[in-house]
Amino acid sequence: MPGSYTWSRLSEADVVELRDLVSGRSTVLRRPPSDLLAMDDIVRLEALAFRESTGPQAELFGALDTDPLRVLTGMNWLIAFWAVLWDLRAGEPAGDLIRTLDYDGPWRKGATPEQEQVWRSMSQRVRTGVFAALTGNPESHRVYADDVRRLAPDVFLHVTLTIMDALSRNLGRQGLELSGMAAELESYTEPGRPGGGPSFSPPR
């Protein structure tokens, strides 16, 4: 990674302190619960998010066939991570950024009022999933998981991918380095005990 951050291991194996050298602020990060997400999965999703080809979408749609909720939950976790990194850099609360997330992809172009309501609703469902990842709230995750099982996972994937792409480009234009951050978190931590707590803490 470029030298904008320092990583400091803490007493718990799955926890690390991250300091942004541009802002001077720091935050504590924890690997996601192993019963919910594997860190390897998140690192693979991160690599796909920054690969310049048509392959990533096809690979993700293929992964949906085996465990759609795990794929989508990993994407939500990555978006929450980026929101925390932006908070760390700019001092804008991660939750405020997440509330702005909105699907603006090709399926929404020229939507009728009824269709527009569908896309607003889907955007809200994705935001619910990202907030569940940000807070580690089991009830929020349950609501999101129920929606994924009830509706079409491939629509969730399309909407989430489009939101991820727009967010990563926007944050990149503002000078934030995102590529490789999940891989760095993996390298500085080890698997922790189940139910160890939320992955993210408010920067200070």
Side-chain angles (χ1 to χ4, degrees):
M1 279 302 297
S4 296
Y5 300 96
T6 59
W7 301 78
S8 302
R9 292 184 173 92
L10 300 177
S11 57
E12 296 180 75
D14 62 333
V15 178
V16 68
E17 181 183 70
L18 176 67
R19 180 172 296 277
D20 185 321
L21 298 179
V22 176
S23 68
R25 303 171 77 225
S26 64
T27 190
V28 174
L29 304 171
R30 183 188 297 272
R31 283 194 182 203
S34 57
D35 55 335
L36 184 66
L37 284 171
M39 199 68 215
D40 286 352
D41 291 343
I42 294 171
V43 171
R44 280 194 290 269
L45 287 170
E46 178 184 64
L48 289 173
F50 294 102
R51 187 187 301 172
E52 294 293 334
S53 72
T54 57
Q57 184 158 337
E59 289 183 43
L60 287 169
F61 272 105
L64 281 187
D65 292 339
T66 55
D67 196 343
L69 184 58
R70 196 173 187 90
V71 172
L72 293 165
T73 301
M75 294 170 75
N76 293 337
W77 191 96
L78 200 54
I79 294 171
F81 186 25
W82 295 350
V84 169
L85 292 175
W86 178 243
D87 186 350
L88 188 61
R89 175 65 55 86
E92 297 180 10
D96 289 357
L97 175 61
I98 292 168
R99 290 182 188 92
T100 71
L101 299 178
D102 190 46
Y103 170 72
D104 192 27
W107 293 357
R108 196 171 185 174
K109 307 300 183 188
T112 65
E114 293 79 9
Q115 292 168 333
E116 177 62 24
Q117 178 57 38
V118 170
W119 297 122
R120 283 199 297 267
S121 177
M122 284 301 302
S123 296
Q124 177 57 48
R125 290 185 171 101
V126 171
R127 290 193 293 269
T128 296
V130 177
F131 270 116
L134 179 70
T135 63
N137 184 299
E139 177 60 20
S140 295
H141 179 71
R142 185 195 63 76
V143 170
Y144 175 79
D146 286 348
D147 279 339
V148 170
R149 295 185 183 101
R150 184 168 53 86
L151 302 170
D154 58 332
V155 177
F156 271 93
L157 179 61
H158 173 77
V159 172
T160 308
L161 267 176
T162 304
I163 287 173
M164 282 183 72
D165 184 61
L167 179 62
S168 65
R169 291 177 188 275
N170 181 42
L171 295 180
R173 283 193 293 268
Q174 298 183 71
L176 195 66
E177 300 147 350
L178 299 174
S179 179
M181 290 298 287
E184 286 286 281
L185 176 60
E186 181 183 45
S187 72
Y188 278 96
T189 56
E190 298 175 10
R193 58 185 174 82
S199 293
F200 307 109
S201 302
R204 58 185 188 278

